[in-house]
């Protein structure tokens, strides 16, 4: 064959095949797809089970990309900064929301909420609404609460008759229950530097009447209440928790609790489900939940948000309208989801399945967010984490008889002074003290 | 002429990011600033870093860690290399087994050891307790946490030392050994006067490489202690990571990364100049 024939033939074939491919693709019309970016968590698994319902209703296909907590922040920022978006719906942890909102990375949801009155934002618990919902600086809404992780007290009903109401009582009870000879401890603590030591230690601070900020956003973490609280926290960690708890994460503490090596644990309120689940726990059926001693709990929360560069905003809003609705939340709650709506907490069906729901409502209602919505939330948590961890080491020296109680407290005070100073400087560079600011409730006066 | 493409690649991959970081370190810039321009601040970031106690604490921790893990992995790796360079049955299988830790991703190594050393559920504390009756807590005190990290890292890296040193041992000339054998030298004398001097350049390279790798340690710190308790095990790369990718303060992070890089280069130059040159000469 000569080339004069071959070349045109090949070109013609390519053109025809390409045309056929293009035409058939256009005729088929692929279904709309949205991409979600979520933490790899039990909550995400509940949602996955319910997704077919949404896909049938709307014809929108949902793809969930799951990630571990540690990588989420980095990944989100690379997506926010790219000119072409990738995710349509994301979940955001409450310490990040102000930072993301001020950077212009989240779509305000006010118009969407006005168009969807059935979402009834008044139904969200107040503590949660201020954590992830309305942003006090511009009054706009950037996130809808998804689930809460308020801290609560878990205790073994076969060992503890009435749950302790304050931290001193908690400590003496824990001490009484501890028996290192039998490898049994009062509390499965998680005092690892970073988020964990803050999520746990801050409950003590709150219980003693201490706070991280006052209503005008000045750090007050170096108060005498906070010093007393952390000293007691250290005694709990070193005298009543398993050895090594100073480096423990949730995993280690949960393993110790479920395997019958501890009588109490301060953890996320909905972990009561896992502790009483025979598939996950060797001590299932023996656990009960109560508010943290001292009354006020540390609150964290995840919320739904839409990135500014979401490729398919229309479908994203449809998804948000479905996932945040009271009906969907009820279905999820029946699977074990941690609710954010008053109506779900009080729903008779949910209460019948989970009799402790009213206790959980009390826990979340009386909780104070881990940080206020400021642009340096993540840094503040880590500053606290570092100095809380340093404070615990001074209690360790006290336990070993190297220093007296008064010396230990003086050293803790020094650490907290440093924490307060660092937080102050951080807030100052962010411009928070240039004008008079006043935090909304639950931090500031209502 | 033929070098141009590869030169361009080198500049593109190696030098461009370096200059980007260099320029960034003289400015004030956060990742959260969408359209705010970079603000030139001269040496401010460097001044901050040089006066930041925590940076120097982290530098000290990094050196302690690197020296500890280099020595430990060298000792174990060299002993094993000497043992497995002898001829005996099953040598091949043993050599293959020794390599395993190097093949596990560092993140998995960290998580695995966190649970192996778990005071209540871990294997090692359980064995220690059943033999001696003492409960050992591997991450409780600052010194203990650092020691445990060195142990974990050395476990992961001794196969690297082993491989490099074994390759060195296998390539040694046979003649000096035969001569020594004929002269009636004992095993220790052969090791001390033949193997060690001949191996010196290989040892120097292996130790230098491992030391430089250890200075950059990040994954194990991240998975095992996150720098705690307190800041006892916080290394430079972990601190820089936090500043840059957890707080989005890329300006300060860049300055820190550069200071860190100069420190590493300084170490490498000193090492090459003294240890390596001396080893060659000796």
């Amino acid at each position: 064959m000569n080339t004069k024939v071959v070349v045109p033939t090949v070109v013609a074939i390519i053109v025809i095949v390409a045309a056929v491919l293009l035409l058939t693709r256009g005729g088929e019309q692929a279904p709309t797809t949205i991409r979600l970016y979520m933490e790899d968590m039990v909550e995400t698994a509940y949602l996955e089970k319910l997704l077919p319902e949404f896909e049938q209703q709307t014809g929108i296909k949902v793809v969930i990309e799951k990630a571990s907590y540690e990588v989420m922040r980095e990944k989100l920022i690379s997506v926010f900064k790219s000119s072409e978006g990738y995710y349509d719906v994301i979940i955001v942890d409450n310490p990040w929301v102000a930072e993301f909102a001020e950077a212009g990375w989240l779509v305000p949801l006010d118009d969407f909420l006005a168009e969807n009155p059935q979402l009834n934002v008044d139904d969200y618990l107040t503590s949660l609404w201020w954590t992830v919902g309305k942003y006090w600086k511009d009054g706009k809404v950037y996130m809808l609460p998804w689930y809460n992780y308020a801290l609560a007290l878990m205790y073994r009903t076969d060992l503890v008759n009435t749950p302790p109401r304050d931290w001193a009582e908690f400590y003496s009870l824990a001490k009484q229950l501890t028996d290192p000879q039998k490898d049994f401890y009062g509390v499965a603590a998680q005092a690892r530097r970073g988020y964990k030591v803050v999520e746990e230690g801050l409950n003590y601070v709150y219980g003693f009447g201490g706070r991280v900020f006052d209503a005008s956003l000045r750090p007050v973490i170096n108060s005498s209440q906070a010093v007393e609280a952390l000293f007691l926290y250290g005694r709990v960690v070193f005298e009543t928790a398993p050895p090594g708890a100073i480096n423990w994460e949730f995993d280690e503490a949960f393993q110790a609790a479920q395997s019958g090596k501890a009588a109490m644990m301060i953890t996320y309120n909905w972990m009561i489900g896992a502790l009483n689940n025979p598939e996950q726990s060797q001590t299932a059926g023996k656990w009960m939940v109560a508010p943290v001693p001292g009354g006020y709990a540390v609150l964290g929360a995840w919320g739904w948000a839409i990135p500014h560069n979401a490729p398919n905003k229309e479908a994203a809003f449809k998804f948000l309208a479905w996932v945040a609705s009271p009906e969907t939340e009820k279905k999820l709650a029946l699977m074990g989801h941690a609710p954010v709506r008053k109506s779900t907490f009080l729903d008779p069906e949910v209460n019948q399945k989970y009799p402790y729901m009213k206790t959980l409502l009390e826990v979340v209602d009386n909780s104070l967010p881990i940080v206020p919505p400021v642009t340096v939330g993540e840094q503040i948590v880590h500053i606290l984490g570092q100095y809380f961890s340093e404070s615990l080491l001074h209690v360790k020296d006290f336990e070993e008889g190297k220093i007296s109680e008064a010396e230990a407290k003086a050293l803790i005070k020094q650490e907290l002074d440093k924490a307060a100073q660092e937080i102050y400087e951080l807030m100052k560079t962010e411009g928070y003290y240039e004008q008079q600011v006043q935090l909304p409730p639950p931090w500031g006066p209502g | 002429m033929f070098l141009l493409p590869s030169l361009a690649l080198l500049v593109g991959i190696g030098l461009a990011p370096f200059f980007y970081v260099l320029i960034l370190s003289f400015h004030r810039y956060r990742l959260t600033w969408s359209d705010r321009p970079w603000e030139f601040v001269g040496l401010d970031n460097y001044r901050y870093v040089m006066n930041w106690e925590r940076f120097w604490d982290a530098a000290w921790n990094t050196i302690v860690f690197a020296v500890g893990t280099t020595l430990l992995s060298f000792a174990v790796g060299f002993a094993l290399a000497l043992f497995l360079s002898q001829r005996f049955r099953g040598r091949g299988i043993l050599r293959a087994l020794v390599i395993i830790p190097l093949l596990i991703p560092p993140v998995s190594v960290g998580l695995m050891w966190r649970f192996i050393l778990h005071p209540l559920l871990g294997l090692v504390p359980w064995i220690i307790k059943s033999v001696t009756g003492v409960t050992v807590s591997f991450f409780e005190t600052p010194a203990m946490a650092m020691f445990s990290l060195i142990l974990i890292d050395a476990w992961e890296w001794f196969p690297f030392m082993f491989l490099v040193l074994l390759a060195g041992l296998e390539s040694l000339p046979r003649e000096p050994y035969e001569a020594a054998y004929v002269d009636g030298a004992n095993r220790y004398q052969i090791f001390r006067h033949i193997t060690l001097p001949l191996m010196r350049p290989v040892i120097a390279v292996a130790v230098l490489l491992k030391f430089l790798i250890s200075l950059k340690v990040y994954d194990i710190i991240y998975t095992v202690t996150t720098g705690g308790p307190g800041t006892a095990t916080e290394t430079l790369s972990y601190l820089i990571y936090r500043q840059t990718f957890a707080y989005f303060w890329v300006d300060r992070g860049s300055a820190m990364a550069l200071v860190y890089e100069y420190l590493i280069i300084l170490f490498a130059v000193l090492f090459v100049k003294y240890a390596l040159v001396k080893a060659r000469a000796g």
Side-chain angles (χ1 to χ4, degrees), chain A residues 70 73-74 77 81 99-100 103 105 180 183 185 192-193 238 242-244 246-249 251-252 255-256 259 261 378-379 382 386 389-390 393 396 426 430, chain B residues 29-34 54 114-115 118-121 129 135 137 139-142 222-231 234 241-242 245-249:
Chain A
E70 291 76 17
R73 224 175 116 81
E74 289 163 61
I77 195 158
K81 298 247 16 148
E99 185 178 16
F100 292 177
W105 291 338
D183 245 0
Y185 298 88
R192 185 156 139 120
R193 184 187 147 187
F238 295 115
I246 189 163
N247 189 44
W248 278 13
E249 278 262 12
D251 298 3
E252 284 112 337
Q255 289 307 328
S259 60
K261 293 192 187 295
E378 175 86 1
Q379 282 98 315
H382 283 282
Q386 185 202 333
S389 190
E390 303 276 8
L393 292 178
K396 171 96 188 155
L426 193 60
E430 289 293 295
Chain B
Y29 179 67
R30 312 263 176 83
L31 282 180
T32 49
W33 292 0
S34 298
R54 197 156 152 206
R114 222 171 95 201
F115 273 90
H118 188 296
L120 289 187
L121 314 164
K129 195 172 179 186
T135 308
S137 177
F139 303 104
E140 186 113 7
T141 60
Y222 179 67
T223 46
V224 179
T225 62
T226 59
T231 50
E234 191 170 69
Y241 159 77
R242 288 230 63 88
F245 295 109
Y247 300 166
F248 304 149
W249 288 13

Side-chain angles (χ1 to χ4, degrees), chain A residues 14-28:
Chain A
I14 290 173
V15 168
I16 292 169
V17 168
V20 169
L21 280 177
L22 279 174
L23 285 175
T24 46
R25 250 196 80 178
E28 220 175 68

Side-chain angles (χ1 to χ4, degrees), chain B residues 168-186:
Chain B
L169 284 175
E170 305 256 285
S171 63
L172 292 184
R174 307 271 358 129
E175 294 82 10
Y177 286 90
E178 280 156 14
Y181 189 72
V182 171
D183 289 343
N186 66 26

